Amino acid sequence: MKRKHSQKYRRPVAIDISRMKELYESGLSLEAVGKRFGISKQRVAQIFDKAGVKKRNFTKTNKYVRGQKSRRRIIPKETLIELYINKKLPVKEITKTLKTSSSVLYRSLAVYKIAKRVDQGIEYSPLTHELLRRLYIEEDLTSTEIARRLCYAPVTIRKRLSAYGIKNNKYKR
């Protein structure tokens, strides 16, 4: 006696591969193509592999792109100009005021094509050449003692001493 397969395990009678390929190349995802033919996206991928159809890595549908853009937070241009350019507030203070992240701030700057401020560096630091020279050479403090007094890391003091070219004949740490 021959067993009959249930309806669940029967293969689809005919699948038009050229139509599947056409739909896929028009921008539909594997899943959307599969739904049109009543098969899974994995099965569509298998069929495309056998037929030698090159698959995309990821399909961003219009719905997906619209959703991404609607979720993207951008700070208004007027607010950015006021806080970032006119008042020259630090990034940390702006993000705290607007209750946002620095990545949102920098993304907003990029959207409006506002150039980032250049980091001022050691020219505007409270660790001036005169201060470090006085503490290190005249008061004969070590970099660790200077760091404790000024509330900096010892490595920062050593780097600034080196950058300013301040050297003492005695070996100090």
Side-chain angles (χ1 to χ4, degrees):
M1 181 167 144
K2 207 173 192 185
R3 280 181 140 173
K4 288 189 175 183
H5 291 286
S6 67
Q7 190 72 17
K8 183 178 175 182
Y9 297 110
R10 285 201 180 150
R11 298 180 123 198
V13 179
I15 294 178
D16 187 7
I17 296 173
S18 60
R19 178 71 181 137
M20 286 175 71
K21 184 178 174 184
E22 183 183 313
L23 290 170
Y24 183 69
E25 288 173 351
S26 73
L28 290 179
S29 65
L30 291 174
E31 187 175 5
V33 172
K35 283 183 182 176
R36 295 259 176 118
F37 288 89
I39 56 176
S40 68
K41 66 180 181 182
Q42 291 84 2
R43 181 66 184 132
V44 173
Q46 288 173 350
I47 292 168
F48 282 171
D49 285 340
K50 283 183 181 179
V53 176
K54 190 172 180 181
K55 295 187 299 285
R56 296 184 296 267
N57 291 336
F58 181 71
T59 304
K60 288 186 178 179
T61 61
N62 290 335
K63 183 179 176 184
Y64 173 81
V65 172
R66 278 194 307 272
Q68 284 285 9
K69 285 183 180 178
S70 69
R71 285 189 294 275
R72 194 174 297 153
R73 182 155 188 269
I74 303 293
I75 300 168
K77 188 174 185 178
E78 299 78 28
T79 308
L80 276 178
I81 291 172
E82 178 63 29
L83 298 175
Y84 190 76
I85 295 175
N86 296 343
K87 290 186 178 178
K88 295 189 187 232
L89 293 176
V91 171
K92 196 170 191 176
E93 197 171 319
I94 294 172
T95 56
K96 190 175 179 183
T97 304
L98 299 175
K99 294 180 180 142
T100 187
S101 66
S102 59
S103 61
V104 169
L105 175 71
Y106 287 123
R107 187 182 320 120
S108 300
L109 290 173
V111 165
Y112 299 121
K113 295 183 174 87
I114 298 172
K116 289 187 203 175
R117 289 191 298 241
V118 179
D119 192 17
Q120 274 85 28
I122 65 173
E123 291 90 32
Y124 299 99
S125 170
L127 297 175
T128 62
H129 181 271
E130 294 78 28
L131 174 67
L132 289 176
R133 190 183 157 290
R134 182 176 55 80
L135 293 171
Y136 192 67
I137 294 179
E138 294 172 15
E139 293 186 24
D140 203 33
L141 295 174
T142 65
S143 58
T144 307
E145 292 168 338
I146 295 170
R148 279 194 203 115
R149 185 183 281 189
L150 300 176
C151 299
Y152 280 91
V155 70
T156 304
I157 301 298
R158 284 188 216 111
K159 284 181 180 180
R160 294 293 165 84
L161 288 169
S162 175
Y164 290 132
I166 301 172
K167 294 181 181 159
N168 199 344
N169 289 340
K170 292 188 266 175
Y171 177 78
K172 291 186 182 181
R173 268 292 186 214

